[in-house]
Amino acid sequence: MALLELSNEHVISSVAGLNRWLAGRSKENLSNSARSLFGILQDINERVFDVRLRAKLLDTLADPVREICWELDTRHLGKPLPLTSQQRGWGMLAREFQFALGEGYAQVALDQLKAGNRVPLLRRRSVRGALHRAVGFLSFALVKSYLLYMPVPAGIWRQLHQLYVIARMNQLANPVNKAHLKEFESMPATVGELYMQAMLVAMASPYRLNQEDILTVFSLSGHLASQCFILTPEQAPLDRSSLFGFNPSQDQAPQHVAEVEGAGEQNQTLWYFDVSTPTSALAEPIEAASAGDDRLVHLDLDTQEHSLSLQLGRHLFHA
């Protein structure tokens, strides 16, 4: 074990060392390759680094991690349910990769904050990029949990709330993160939209869906997120019956306001998620325009008082 730790410490001491290790690693055995790569990622997250070096090391690992996650996905996605223990193991490893990358980028963002969680002027671009990647990878870990029909990682919602609150208070939640659009073309372009996409997926009763429809919900939610709004306690209207509430200091997804307020939650601590605009926009079915595939996906976004039927042709998110 000591030799392994010494080896990893040498590998991650510089970007050049990490690149040499990546170039020389064997990819013949998926299990060994994945676990050795995950060990490197864990060490990067656990060790004390200059924030710039940590960011560069994570950026260097991002593509190899995506590649190995794609390969792991072929081992558990689209398979007959229930998944075998081995298939679930492949999926859990992919989820751990995504969760670890999200935590790593979150640390990059947090390490650059001043007192009061304020972002220094000269670090705004760096922090915005780190927040975007952190929320994106944590969202992937959430969706992977739904695909495996497993509980989400403990603490993931509290972390997502924290990152969004930091982005919002520093006016970094809405600016488009152009630097990463080419690498994450399927991801919403802002921290706020990524955050609301995760919320929409959680509210769509994902554990009731098959794997294909979970992925459809995730993709569709990315389109709907820009039409939703997060309201602070001061911004909440008197009539909150159509809103979803959440406490950003707690490890919970949004719930219908009647559930959280009815449970004794203090209104002064609740933030609210407003989905009324996409609800209205999608009240009527949208006909699929693709001549090759005119099937409709029918999904329910549940609330206590009403449900939203989301009907979009598959071509809208697979084009």
Side-chain angles (χ1 to χ4, degrees):
M1 181 62 70
L3 290 176
L4 177 60
E5 291 178 354
L6 179 62
S7 176
N8 281 2
E9 183 176 5
H10 176 72
V11 166
I12 62 179
S13 63
S14 67
V15 174
L18 179 56
N19 277 322
R20 284 193 296 270
W21 181 86
L22 289 169
R25 71 189 177 102
S26 172
K27 300 180 182 180
E28 292 182 1
N29 184 297
L30 176 61
S31 179
N32 291 342
S33 178
R35 295 185 190 284
S36 62
L37 185 62
F38 186 71
I40 293 292
L41 177 55
Q42 278 187 310
D43 273 2
I44 292 174
N45 283 354
E46 293 171 1
R47 295 180 188 275
V48 177
F49 281 112
D50 171 78
V51 64
R52 294 179 180 84
L53 177 57
R54 186 188 303 278
K56 290 178 180 178
L57 291 172
L58 291 171
D59 288 346
T60 302
L61 277 187
D63 279 339
V65 166
R66 277 198 295 269
E67 291 173 4
I68 209 156
C69 283
W70 288 332
E71 192 165 353
L72 290 168
D73 284 350
T74 66
R75 307 295 181 98
H76 70 277
L77 290 182
K79 305 299 182 183
L81 299 176
L83 298 175
T84 67
S85 59
Q86 185 180 45
Q87 290 167 339
R88 285 169 64 90
W90 295 125
M92 289 174 63
L93 183 54
R95 186 184 73 169
E96 292 307 306
F97 267 117
Q98 293 158 346
F99 188 56
L101 268 179
E103 286 194 312
Y105 279 112
Q107 193 60 50
V108 169
L110 296 176
D111 283 349
Q112 299 181 73
L113 301 181
K114 296 194 299 184
N117 286 335
R118 293 296 178 181
V119 178
L121 180 62
L122 297 180
R123 296 292 183 91
R124 289 180 61 81
R125 182 177 180 181
S126 172
V127 172
R128 184 183 62 193
L131 288 170
H132 189 264
R133 286 194 163 195
V135 175
F137 281 116
L138 291 173
S139 297
F140 289 161
L142 273 176
V143 174
K144 187 64 67 178
S145 299
Y146 304 143
L147 290 167
L148 296 170
Y149 304 98
M150 297 178 61
V152 302
I156 193 169
W157 277 110
R158 182 182 291 109
Q159 194 163 18
L160 283 167
H161 296 327
Q162 177 194 24
L163 296 174
Y164 174 75
V165 170
I166 289 172
R168 180 165 174 148
M169 71 182 294
N170 289 283
Q171 299 183 328
L172 295 176
N174 295 321
V176 174
N177 189 30
K178 296 179 180 180
H180 298 301
L181 286 183
K182 291 183 179 180
E183 300 175 26
F184 300 96
E185 293 179 356
S186 62
M187 289 170 60
T190 73
V191 175
E193 289 174 13
L194 278 170
Y195 176 62
M196 290 185 284
Q197 179 188 33
M199 288 183 162
L200 286 168
V201 176
M203 290 157 46
S205 301
Y207 292 116
R208 301 179 186 176
L209 304 175
N210 61 39
Q211 288 183 334
E212 183 179 7
D213 284 346
I214 291 170
L215 291 172
T216 298
V217 168
F218 182 56
S219 183
L220 172 59
S221 297
H223 292 273
L224 299 182
S226 62
Q227 304 173 44
C228 300
F229 302 94
I230 302 290
L231 306 175
T232 63
E234 297 76 21
Q235 296 171 321
L238 292 177
D239 180 8
R240 300 185 295 276
S241 58
S242 63
L243 302 180
F244 295 82
F246 63 97
N247 185 328
S249 66
Q250 295 184 356
D251 188 27
Q252 291 182 337
Q255 296 175 285
H256 191 269
V257 70
E259 299 177 18
V260 287
E261 291 186 347
E265 185 73 49
Q266 295 296 316
N267 293 350
Q268 295 88 343
T269 64
L270 282 180
W271 289 38
Y272 297 91
F273 187 34
D274 184 353
V275 298
S276 58
T277 300
T279 298
S280 301
L282 293 171
E284 298 295 330
I286 299 176
E287 296 296 334
S290 171
D293 185 358
D294 60 356
R295 294 173 297 169
L296 293 176
V297 181
H298 180 87
L299 306 169
D300 287 329
L301 182 61
D302 292 334
T303 71
Q304 185 165 316
E305 298 185 357
H306 69 277
S307 66
L308 169 62
S309 294
L310 305 178
Q311 300 188 56
L312 286 174
R314 294 185 188 277
H315 70 284
L316 290 180
F317 3 95
H318 294 304

